[in-house]
Amino acid sequence: MSELAEINLQKYQISDQLGFLPAQPPLTRLPQTCYQIWEDTLDGFSSPCNYETIRQQMDTMSVLSTAALVTEPEWRRAYVVLTMMSQIYLWAGYQPSKELPRSLAVPLLEVSAHLGIEPCASFASFCLWNIRPIQALGYLDPEVYYNPENLVIIDSFTGTKDEEWFFCVSASIEAIGGRMIPKMLEAIDAARDGRRVQVTEILDEFADCLARIEATLVRMYENCAPSVFYHCVRRFLSGSKSMGGVWYEGVDGPWDRRSYAGGSNAQSSLIQLFDIVLGIDHTDESVNAACKSPSSFHSDMRGYMPGPHRDFLHLMSRAANIRPFAMGHLAGSDIRAAYNRAVGALGQIRQKHLIMTARYIIAPALKEKGKGGLEGVRGTGGTDFIPLLKEARDRTIESTSSRVCRDC
């Protein structure tokens, strides 16, 4: 394999400064006149009083061709607009709709095929391609992205600061971790060549980066209230799996139903990349059985990532070598200590996430359901919550055991 450090990250639509976030801020509107009906309809979603009206507007909209889309930022903007309108159509009414009108379904399939992503709302819809700096600078300043206070959401379901903060914190985490991607490639090359000192230095830097991500993650509590998230925001993150599937008019046969997960931070390529680089394997038959799926929730989420990002993860899965290289040294060595610090820092992030899940989902659910407990409660992406929580717990345990047991 050629030197990974020499790989053209742009081929995988990855920024060496911001990682999986676009190198330039996303478009706020499509420039073509023909698509202004999409933009105007999305802009018109402002309050519960027009839920049914906006559904009627979408029902009567013409099916627009995607032929006028030219640049990748335009394709991404079209995906954001169409997936957000789809979520509004499906979930904004007093009763969820099990049908998606052809005015949304047909172009959504075309746009998603171009981007290599499932034709439904995803982490890319809400975060990657829907967040930009408050002040547009004439140059790229990655430091701006490291503080969620500097970011703003382009389109919102609820218009609340809580929703905006939720996704801006996620975007900051993407930026903070994304700057480590070139270093990760260097570390893999260094491990292959036996350059222990360089691998150790990068692992120490990686641990510091993960600590900064943990500190940013807990900032979620500053401006996102659990009650607002649970009762107002979560419904728009739901997937069609939670209601037995949706019929895409103009695309599917009369008896076809499409079942997709909802938008979730589990669809972040960054967190999966961390696991791959550190050699943390989440394959677990008991978890798969609990999820009633031949592949884990962790693996399934890759289908909801942009195609080039998914390809990059596949590449890294084949190349990753840091864990066996580190474990090939004595337990008291500097490189083993650096590896343990990095894995431990990743485990800390997962523990904080579990605590956050308890505050934002479990506690409100218990308050709402009372003695009904967590039965039927779903994660932010609409996935059955109990096996999802079990897998998250197992990942935390796996990270800890990767760090500790190897030192015995």
Side-chain angles (χ1 to χ4, degrees):
M1 181 176 290
S2 61
E3 296 288 329
L4 283 179
E6 301 300 321
I7 281 182
N8 180 8
L9 290 175
Q10 292 183 357
K11 171 185 175 182
Y12 298 97
Q13 297 180 4
I14 297 172
S15 164
D16 59 0
Q17 296 290 319
L18 300 176
F20 297 102
L21 292 170
Q24 297 299 323
L27 295 176
T28 58
R29 287 183 73 91
L30 286 165
Q32 296 89 341
T33 303
C34 61
Y35 298 129
Q36 296 315 299
I37 183 62
W38 288 351
E39 298 283 4
D40 292 342
T41 301
L42 184 57
D43 286 344
F45 180 69
S46 58
S47 67
C49 65
N50 65 356
Y51 281 174
E52 296 306 323
T53 300
I54 199 168
R55 269 184 174 172
Q56 293 172 5
Q57 291 176 352
M58 294 178 189
D59 282 329
T60 57
M61 276 197 311
S62 300
V63 177
L64 301 183
S65 168
T66 59
L69 299 171
V70 178
T71 66
E72 284 304 297
E74 290 173 1
W75 284 99
R76 294 169 190 163
R77 176 61 188 168
Y79 174 77
V80 170
V81 173
L82 289 167
T83 53
M84 293 195 74
M85 283 199 295
S86 297
Q87 289 298 93
I88 290 168
Y89 189 93
L90 294 175
W91 297 101
Y94 295 105
Q95 292 294 329
S97 172
K98 291 194 173 185
E99 299 179 2
L100 194 66
R102 67 178 68 238
S103 60
L104 301 178
V106 173
L108 177 55
L109 263 292
E110 295 173 3
V111 169
S112 299
H114 174 88
L115 296 170
I117 194 169
E118 295 283 20
C120 62
S122 69
F123 184 73
S125 307
F126 308 136
C127 181
L128 295 183
W129 301 336
N130 194 38
I131 300 291
R132 61 183 290 122
I134 294 174
Q135 288 186 322
L137 302 175
Y139 57 93
L140 176 62
D141 182 3
E143 290 287 338
V144 169
Y145 286 81
Y146 299 161
N147 185 346
E149 293 179 358
N150 297 330
L151 304 177
V152 65
I153 196 170
I154 297 173
D155 289 294
S156 171
F157 292 113
T158 65
T160 62
K161 178 63 177 179
D162 306 75
E163 178 188 351
E164 180 173 67
W165 188 252
F166 180 81
F167 291 116
C168 286
V169 168
S170 299
S172 286
I173 289 172
E174 291 287 324
I176 293 168
R179 64 185 173 88
M180 281 299 301
I181 293 178
K183 289 287 187 178
M184 295 177 194
L185 301 180
E186 290 180 21
I188 292 173
D189 281 344
R192 185 187 60 192
D193 298 337
R195 288 178 269 135
R196 177 182 58 80
V197 173
Q198 185 176 4
V199 175
T200 302
E201 291 174 348
I202 294 175
L203 283 171
D204 282 334
E205 187 176 349
F206 191 13
D208 291 340
C209 174
L210 292 170
R212 185 169 182 179
I213 287 176
E214 180 190 350
T216 302
L217 176 62
V218 297
R219 292 194 64 189
M220 186 69 71
Y221 302 119
E222 293 179 14
N223 292 303
C224 183
S227 59
V228 176
F229 177 80
Y230 184 83
H231 294 289
C232 300
V233 178
R234 283 183 74 242
R235 65 186 299 190
F236 294 108
L237 307 185
S238 300
S240 54
K241 281 184 179 180
S242 64
M243 58 172 158
V246 169
W247 179 59
Y248 279 36
E249 183 186 13
V251 177
D252 298 333
W255 308 110
D256 294 333
R257 295 295 181 272
R258 293 173 178 265
S259 294
Y260 298 115
S264 167
N265 283 2
Q267 296 160 1
S268 165
S269 301
L270 181 71
I271 302 302
Q272 290 210 23
L273 178 61
F274 289 165
D275 289 332
I276 291 169
V277 170
L278 292 176
I280 298 173
D281 184 4
H282 299 311
T283 302
D284 186 325
E285 291 183 0
S286 65
V287 171
N288 295 341
C291 294
K292 300 180 180 180
S293 169
S295 60
S296 71
F297 173 81
H298 188 74
S299 300
D300 290 343
M301 290 299 99
R302 290 197 185 181
Y304 300 87
M305 300 174 184
H309 297 176
R310 185 168 58 251
D311 292 342
F312 183 72
L313 294 186
H314 289 324
L315 170 68
M316 296 297 283
S317 295
R318 297 192 302 269
N321 58 4
I322 292 176
R323 177 175 177 140
F325 181 70
M327 295 309 170
H329 292 77
L330 294 176
S333 62
D334 289 346
I335 189 170
R336 286 283 287 271
Y339 176 80
N340 288 342
R341 280 195 294 274
V343 174
L346 185 57
Q348 281 294 110
I349 292 173
R350 289 207 160 96
Q351 289 179 17
K352 289 294 193 300
H353 184 261
L354 285 175
I355 294 170
M356 190 168 291
T357 299
R359 291 187 63 177
Y360 282 87
I361 300 179
I362 297 178
L366 289 175
K367 184 176 181 180
E368 179 182 57
K369 294 176 176 291
K371 295 182 179 180
L374 293 177
E375 191 66 33
V377 177
R378 298 183 176 273
T380 55
T383 306
D384 191 7
F385 187 74
I386 294 176
L388 178 60
L389 181 61
K390 180 182 183 300
E391 181 164 3
R393 183 201 64 197
D394 290 346
R395 289 183 193 174
T396 303
I397 295 172
E398 172 68 20
S399 295
T400 303
S401 62
S402 296
R403 174 170 53 94
V404 176
C405 71
R406 296 290 183 166
D407 283 341
C408 298

